Amino acid sequence: MGRPRTFDEAEVVEAAADLFARRAYDGVSVDDLVAHLGVHRNSLYKVFGSKRGLYLAALRWHLEHRLRPLLARVRAAPDPAEALRDLATSPDRGADLDLLLLAMAERAPVDPEAAREVAGALRDLDAAVAPGPHATAGAGGAARDPAYAPTATALGLRLCLRAAAGSGGAPFHPLPPT
């Protein structure tokens, strides 16, 4: 008979989501997870099956507990597109978009399950900015719905901020003060 689990699965998933949001999937080794989460390697594999299993659990947790509440605030704002842009450039709340951003760039192209999660989150972002039916992609996969522009702009701004922070350079200000 195995030993009883000595960790809270929800806490481990949340901590893993934070780590993956800072360093991305390929930037986090199983040794990093063990050290950061304080969980034995065998326990991680027993509960999540693999690093990928933990990543997917962390991505789902992140989308449900970090992204969805932000979307509710964006949806309720007088100007949802501006609220999304402000969120993406916020030093306090902008990091809540980071795991989605990294999942889009790194995992969605190679992992169909991650791609489905990312696609759903992007649909939710688009719906928060411009509620209503969205047009399907046009020729070449380009979005025809103008709601995609604020979503793409906000995520692009967030990416620029992450790049500037990683360079150690002066803070990047993507938009002039209004």
Side-chain angles (χ1 to χ4, degrees):
M1 184 168 156
R3 295 184 314 186
R5 189 181 308 167
T6 59
F7 64 90
D8 181 305
E9 188 175 328
E11 289 177 8
V12 166
V13 170
E14 179 179 359
D18 291 340
L19 185 60
F20 286 125
R22 285 194 311 273
R23 296 186 24 209
Y25 181 84
D26 288 336
V28 176
S29 68
V30 173
D31 288 337
D32 293 333
L33 290 166
V34 167
H36 182 78
L37 304 175
V39 176
H40 293 280
R41 177 184 303 268
N42 290 344
S43 296
L44 282 179
Y45 283 111
K46 183 177 181 182
V47 173
F48 301 104
S50 63
K51 173 183 162 184
R52 178 181 175 272
L54 174 57
Y55 176 82
L56 290 171
L59 178 60
R60 289 180 185 114
W61 181 92
H62 177 82
L63 297 176
E64 183 62 33
H65 293 94
R66 297 264 169 85
L67 186 64
R68 302 259 185 271
L70 294 176
L71 295 180
R73 289 204 306 268
V74 166
R75 213 175 275 117
D79 182 345
E82 182 178 344
L84 181 59
R85 185 200 69 208
D86 291 347
L87 167 67
T89 59
S90 165
D92 299 330
R93 301 306 309 189
D96 287 341
L97 293 172
D98 287 354
L99 185 51
L100 172 61
L101 183 66
L102 294 174
M104 286 172 56
E106 184 183 44
R107 298 305 304 158
V110 297
D111 185 328
E113 205 167 343
R116 280 190 297 276
E117 296 295 334
V118 166
L122 291 175
R123 278 191 304 275
D124 292 347
L125 269 168
D126 293 332
V129 174
H134 292 275
T136 58
R144 291 184 301 206
D145 190 326
Y148 288 95
T151 300
T153 299
L155 292 172
L157 290 171
R158 185 68 202 154
L159 183 60
C160 290
L161 290 169
R162 280 187 60 100
S167 72
F172 176 77
H173 297 287
L175 300 172
T178 53

